Amino acid sequence: LSYLKRIDIGTREIVVYENKDYRPHIYLTEKKETIYKNIPYIKTDYKYVNPTQYKINLININNPIYINFSESYHPYWKIRVGDFNWFKVLTDKNYFLPDKYHFENDAKLNSFLIDPKAVCQNRLNCNISLTLYFKPQSYVYLGGIISLITLITLIGSLIVVSIKEFKARS
């Protein structure tokens, strides 16, 4: 593979290669990403929030563009245009862009088509604020809240019972 360079680390049993032409974790392309052709890419500004959430800002978008995300494809990776609230993921069926804009590319990674005609009121020089989110994480958050409430209720009940027993002995 022409993009890999063998590095001599002084061992015969272990071979190390360096990839000098790697793509960023999140990047843009004007055409659908493929492994069969070298598609030029554009670096984009994104913010890592946690392993299940990224904030992406697209500036001056006039034509459809593909967001490519170098995580193994999973249908529950979703894109939200505008403000994001993890709880609304559970209550609003149409909270994310429709699934027709999300697909698995040739490299088995996630790609999303962002069409400014579909997501912007002002279709010229569109600025788009996006959240890339792994939808099942909302159930983890909800489960954590339920567990915390259960723990607080249990500890509160134990304290009340202990106080009543202490008063009964006195």
mmCIF file with all atom_site columns, all heavy atoms in Angstrom, residues 156-169:
data_model
loop_
_atom_site.group_PDB
_atom_site.id
_atom_site.type_symbol
_atom_site.label_atom_id
_atom_site.label_alt_id
_atom_site.label_comp_id
_atom_site.label_asym_id
_atom_site.label_entity_id
_atom_site.label_seq_id
_atom_site.pdbx_PDB_ins_code
_atom_site.Cartn_x
_atom_site.Cartn_y
_atom_site.Cartn_z
_atom_site.occupancy
_atom_site.B_iso_or_equiv
_atom_site.pdbx_formal_charge
_atom_site.auth_seq_id
_atom_site.auth_comp_id
_atom_site.auth_asym_id
_atom_site.auth_atom_id
_atom_site.pdbx_PDB_model_num
ATOM 1   N N   . GLY A 1 156 ? -32.513 7.269  52.206 1.00 0.00 ? 156 GLY A N   1
ATOM 2   C CA  . GLY A 1 156 ? -33.468 8.064  52.994 1.00 0.00 ? 156 GLY A CA  1
ATOM 3   C C   . GLY A 1 156 ? -34.361 7.176  53.832 1.00 0.00 ? 156 GLY A C   1
ATOM 4   O O   . GLY A 1 156 ? -34.609 7.463  55.014 1.00 0.00 ? 156 GLY A O   1
ATOM 5   N N   . SER A 1 157 ? -34.853 6.089  53.258 1.00 0.00 ? 157 SER A N   1
ATOM 6   C CA  . SER A 1 157 ? -35.706 5.151  54.001 1.00 0.00 ? 157 SER A CA  1
ATOM 7   C C   . SER A 1 157 ? -34.948 4.512  55.154 1.00 0.00 ? 157 SER A C   1
ATOM 8   O O   . SER A 1 157 ? -35.488 4.360  56.263 1.00 0.00 ? 157 SER A O   1
ATOM 9   C CB  . SER A 1 157 ? -36.232 4.060  53.071 1.00 0.00 ? 157 SER A CB  1
ATOM 10  O OG  . SER A 1 157 ? -37.015 4.608  52.050 1.00 0.00 ? 157 SER A OG  1
ATOM 11  N N   . LEU A 1 158 ? -33.699 4.127  54.916 1.00 0.00 ? 158 LEU A N   1
ATOM 12  C CA  . LEU A 1 158 ? -32.883 3.534  55.985 1.00 0.00 ? 158 LEU A CA  1
ATOM 13  C C   . LEU A 1 158 ? -32.645 4.532  57.117 1.00 0.00 ? 158 LEU A C   1
ATOM 14  O O   . LEU A 1 158 ? -32.663 4.158  58.293 1.00 0.00 ? 158 LEU A O   1
ATOM 15  C CB  . LEU A 1 158 ? -31.550 3.029  55.424 1.00 0.00 ? 158 LEU A CB  1
ATOM 16  C CG  . LEU A 1 158 ? -31.621 1.778  54.562 1.00 0.00 ? 158 LEU A CG  1
ATOM 17  C CD1 . LEU A 1 158 ? -30.255 1.488  53.938 1.00 0.00 ? 158 LEU A CD1 1
ATOM 18  C CD2 . LEU A 1 158 ? -32.091 0.586  55.369 1.00 0.00 ? 158 LEU A CD2 1
ATOM 19  N N   . ILE A 1 159 ? -32.420 5.783  56.767 1.00 0.00 ? 159 ILE A N   1
ATOM 20  C CA  . ILE A 1 159 ? -32.218 6.818  57.795 1.00 0.00 ? 159 ILE A CA  1
ATOM 21  C C   . ILE A 1 159 ? -33.488 7.000  58.617 1.00 0.00 ? 159 ILE A C   1
ATOM 22  O O   . ILE A 1 159 ? -33.444 7.044  59.849 1.00 0.00 ? 159 ILE A O   1
ATOM 23  C CB  . ILE A 1 159 ? -31.760 8.143  57.156 1.00 0.00 ? 159 ILE A CB  1
ATOM 24  C CG1 . ILE A 1 159 ? -30.336 7.995  56.606 1.00 0.00 ? 159 ILE A CG1 1
ATOM 25  C CG2 . ILE A 1 159 ? -31.849 9.300  58.147 1.00 0.00 ? 159 ILE A CG2 1
ATOM 26  C CD1 . ILE A 1 159 ? -29.855 9.159  55.763 1.00 0.00 ? 159 ILE A CD1 1
ATOM 27  N N   . VAL A 1 160 ? -34.651 7.080  57.956 1.00 0.00 ? 160 VAL A N   1
ATOM 28  C CA  . VAL A 1 160 ? -35.929 7.246  58.668 1.00 0.00 ? 160 VAL A CA  1
ATOM 29  C C   . VAL A 1 160 ? -36.188 6.061  59.592 1.00 0.00 ? 160 VAL A C   1
ATOM 30  O O   . VAL A 1 160 ? -36.570 6.224  60.756 1.00 0.00 ? 160 VAL A O   1
ATOM 31  C CB  . VAL A 1 160 ? -37.090 7.448  57.661 1.00 0.00 ? 160 VAL A CB  1
ATOM 32  C CG1 . VAL A 1 160 ? -38.439 7.336  58.350 1.00 0.00 ? 160 VAL A CG1 1
ATOM 33  C CG2 . VAL A 1 160 ? -36.960 8.775  56.950 1.00 0.00 ? 160 VAL A CG2 1
ATOM 34  N N   . VAL A 1 161 ? -35.986 4.837  59.092 1.00 0.00 ? 161 VAL A N   1
ATOM 35  C CA  . VAL A 1 161 ? -36.194 3.633  59.910 1.00 0.00 ? 161 VAL A CA  1
ATOM 36  C C   . VAL A 1 161 ? -35.224 3.622  61.089 1.00 0.00 ? 161 VAL A C   1
ATOM 37  O O   . VAL A 1 161 ? -35.605 3.300  62.224 1.00 0.00 ? 161 VAL A O   1
ATOM 38  C CB  . VAL A 1 161 ? -36.054 2.352  59.055 1.00 0.00 ? 161 VAL A CB  1
ATOM 39  C CG1 . VAL A 1 161 ? -35.972 1.107  59.912 1.00 0.00 ? 161 VAL A CG1 1
ATOM 40  C CG2 . VAL A 1 161 ? -37.189 2.252  58.054 1.00 0.00 ? 161 VAL A CG2 1
ATOM 41  N N   . SER A 1 162 ? -33.975 3.990  60.864 1.00 0.00 ? 162 SER A N   1
ATOM 42  C CA  . SER A 1 162 ? -32.983 4.015  61.948 1.00 0.00 ? 162 SER A CA  1
ATOM 43  C C   . SER A 1 162 ? -33.356 5.035  63.015 1.00 0.00 ? 162 SER A C   1
ATOM 44  O O   . SER A 1 162 ? -33.231 4.764  64.222 1.00 0.00 ? 162 SER A O   1
ATOM 45  C CB  . SER A 1 162 ? -31.591 4.336  61.394 1.00 0.00 ? 162 SER A CB  1
ATOM 46  O OG  . SER A 1 162 ? -31.166 3.339  60.511 1.00 0.00 ? 162 SER A OG  1
ATOM 47  N N   . ILE A 1 163 ? -33.828 6.208  62.606 1.00 0.00 ? 163 ILE A N   1
ATOM 48  C CA  . ILE A 1 163 ? -34.235 7.246  63.570 1.00 0.00 ? 163 ILE A CA  1
ATOM 49  C C   . ILE A 1 163 ? -35.427 6.764  64.381 1.00 0.00 ? 163 ILE A C   1
ATOM 50  O O   . ILE A 1 163 ? -35.471 6.931  65.617 1.00 0.00 ? 163 ILE A O   1
ATOM 51  C CB  . ILE A 1 163 ? -34.547 8.574  62.845 1.00 0.00 ? 163 ILE A CB  1
ATOM 52  C CG1 . ILE A 1 163 ? -33.251 9.186  62.305 1.00 0.00 ? 163 ILE A CG1 1
ATOM 53  C CG2 . ILE A 1 163 ? -35.268 9.548  63.765 1.00 0.00 ? 163 ILE A CG2 1
ATOM 54  C CD1 . ILE A 1 163 ? -33.454 10.388 61.406 1.00 0.00 ? 163 ILE A CD1 1
ATOM 55  N N   . LYS A 1 164 ? -36.416 6.122  63.725 1.00 0.00 ? 164 LYS A N   1
ATOM 56  C CA  . LYS A 1 164 ? -37.578 5.609  64.440 1.00 0.00 ? 164 LYS A CA  1
ATOM 57  C C   . LYS A 1 164 ? -37.174 4.533  65.453 1.00 0.00 ? 164 LYS A C   1
ATOM 58  O O   . LYS A 1 164 ? -37.682 4.500  66.576 1.00 0.00 ? 164 LYS A O   1
ATOM 59  C CB  . LYS A 1 164 ? -38.611 5.058  63.469 1.00 0.00 ? 164 LYS A CB  1
ATOM 60  C CG  . LYS A 1 164 ? -39.385 6.142  62.733 1.00 0.00 ? 164 LYS A CG  1
ATOM 61  C CD  . LYS A 1 164 ? -40.441 5.532  61.836 1.00 0.00 ? 164 LYS A CD  1
ATOM 62  C CE  . LYS A 1 164 ? -41.228 6.624  61.129 1.00 0.00 ? 164 LYS A CE  1
ATOM 63  N NZ  . LYS A 1 164 ? -42.258 6.078  60.235 1.00 0.00 ? 164 LYS A NZ  1
ATOM 64  N N   . GLU A 1 165 ? -36.274 3.639  65.083 1.00 0.00 ? 165 GLU A N   1
ATOM 65  C CA  . GLU A 1 165 ? -35.816 2.597  66.005 1.00 0.00 ? 165 GLU A CA  1
ATOM 66  C C   . GLU A 1 165 ? -35.043 3.195  67.180 1.00 0.00 ? 165 GLU A C   1
ATOM 67  O O   . GLU A 1 165 ? -35.179 2.762  68.315 1.00 0.00 ? 165 GLU A O   1
ATOM 68  C CB  . GLU A 1 165 ? -34.940 1.559  65.270 1.00 0.00 ? 165 GLU A CB  1
ATOM 69  C CG  . GLU A 1 165 ? -35.728 0.577  64.443 1.00 0.00 ? 165 GLU A CG  1
ATOM 70  C CD  . GLU A 1 165 ? -34.854 -0.507 63.873 1.00 0.00 ? 165 GLU A CD  1
ATOM 71  O OE1 . GLU A 1 165 ? -33.746 -0.761 64.388 1.00 0.00 ? 165 GLU A OE1 1
ATOM 72  O OE2 . GLU A 1 165 ? -35.287 -1.127 62.885 1.00 0.00 ? 165 GLU A OE2 1
ATOM 73  N N   . PHE A 1 166 ? -34.252 4.216  66.896 1.00 0.00 ? 166 PHE A N   1
ATOM 74  C CA  . PHE A 1 166 ? -33.482 4.874  67.958 1.00 0.00 ? 166 PHE A CA  1
ATOM 75  C C   . PHE A 1 166 ? -34.428 5.544  68.964 1.00 0.00 ? 166 PHE A C   1
ATOM 76  O O   . PHE A 1 166 ? -34.241 5.448  70.168 1.00 0.00 ? 166 PHE A O   1
ATOM 77  C CB  . PHE A 1 166 ? -32.513 5.897  67.362 1.00 0.00 ? 166 PHE A CB  1
ATOM 78  C CG  . PHE A 1 166 ? -31.678 6.601  68.378 1.00 0.00 ? 166 PHE A CG  1
ATOM 79  C CD1 . PHE A 1 166 ? -30.642 5.958  69.018 1.00 0.00 ? 166 PHE A CD1 1
ATOM 80  C CD2 . PHE A 1 166 ? -31.963 7.929  68.721 1.00 0.00 ? 166 PHE A CD2 1
ATOM 81  C CE1 . PHE A 1 166 ? -29.872 6.613  69.962 1.00 0.00 ? 166 PHE A CE1 1
ATOM 82  C CE2 . PHE A 1 166 ? -31.202 8.592  69.670 1.00 0.00 ? 166 PHE A CE2 1
ATOM 83  C CZ  . PHE A 1 166 ? -30.150 7.935  70.296 1.00 0.00 ? 166 PHE A CZ  1
ATOM 84  N N   . LYS A 1 167 ? -35.471 6.229  68.461 1.00 0.00 ? 167 LYS A N   1
ATOM 85  C CA  . LYS A 1 167 ? -36.444 6.881  69.328 1.00 0.00 ? 167 LYS A CA  1
ATOM 86  C C   . LYS A 1 167 ? -37.259 5.870  70.118 1.00 0.00 ? 167 LYS A C   1
ATOM 87  O O   . LYS A 1 167 ? -37.632 6.102  71.264 1.00 0.00 ? 167 LYS A O   1
ATOM 88  C CB  . LYS A 1 167 ? -37.368 7.793  68.533 1.00 0.00 ? 167 LYS A CB  1
ATOM 89  C CG  . LYS A 1 167 ? -36.707 9.062  68.062 1.00 0.00 ? 167 LYS A CG  1
ATOM 90  C CD  . LYS A 1 167 ? -37.686 9.945  67.315 1.00 0.00 ? 167 LYS A CD  1
ATOM 91  C CE  . LYS A 1 167 ? -36.999 11.238 66.876 1.00 0.00 ? 167 LYS A CE  1
ATOM 92  N NZ  . LYS A 1 167 ? -37.916 12.110 66.133 1.00 0.00 ? 167 LYS A NZ  1
ATOM 93  N N   . ALA A 1 168 ? -37.560 4.725  69.506 1.00 0.00 ? 168 ALA A N   1
ATOM 94  C CA  . ALA A 1 168 ? -38.324 3.678  70.182 1.00 0.00 ? 168 ALA A CA  1
ATOM 95  C C   . ALA A 1 168 ? -37.534 3.072  71.336 1.00 0.00 ? 168 ALA A C   1
ATOM 96  O O   . ALA A 1 168 ? -38.093 2.692  72.369 1.00 0.00 ? 168 ALA A O   1
ATOM 97  C CB  . ALA A 1 168 ? -38.743 2.597  69.204 1.00 0.00 ? 168 ALA A CB  1
ATOM 98  N N   . ARG A 1 169 ? -36.235 2.999  71.234 1.00 0.00 ? 169 ARG A N   1
ATOM 99  C CA  . ARG A 1 169 ? -35.370 2.445  72.295 1.00 0.00 ? 169 ARG A CA  1
ATOM 100 C C   . ARG A 1 169 ? -35.196 3.440  73.436 1.00 0.00 ? 169 ARG A C   1
ATOM 101 O O   . ARG A 1 169 ? -34.921 3.057  74.558 1.00 0.00 ? 169 ARG A O   1
ATOM 102 C CB  . ARG A 1 169 ? -34.012 2.072  71.726 1.00 0.00 ? 169 ARG A CB  1
ATOM 103 C CG  . ARG A 1 169 ? -34.060 0.861  70.847 1.00 0.00 ? 169 ARG A CG  1
ATOM 104 C CD  . ARG A 1 169 ? -32.664 0.504  70.404 1.00 0.00 ? 169 ARG A CD  1
ATOM 105 N NE  . ARG A 1 169 ? -32.698 -0.553 69.383 1.00 0.00 ? 169 ARG A NE  1
ATOM 106 C CZ  . ARG A 1 169 ? -31.677 -0.896 68.667 1.00 0.00 ? 169 ARG A CZ  1
ATOM 107 N NH1 . ARG A 1 169 ? -30.532 -0.286 68.831 1.00 0.00 ? 169 ARG A NH1 1
ATOM 108 N NH2 . ARG A 1 169 ? -31.787 -1.863 67.799 1.00 0.00 ? 169 ARG A NH2 1
#
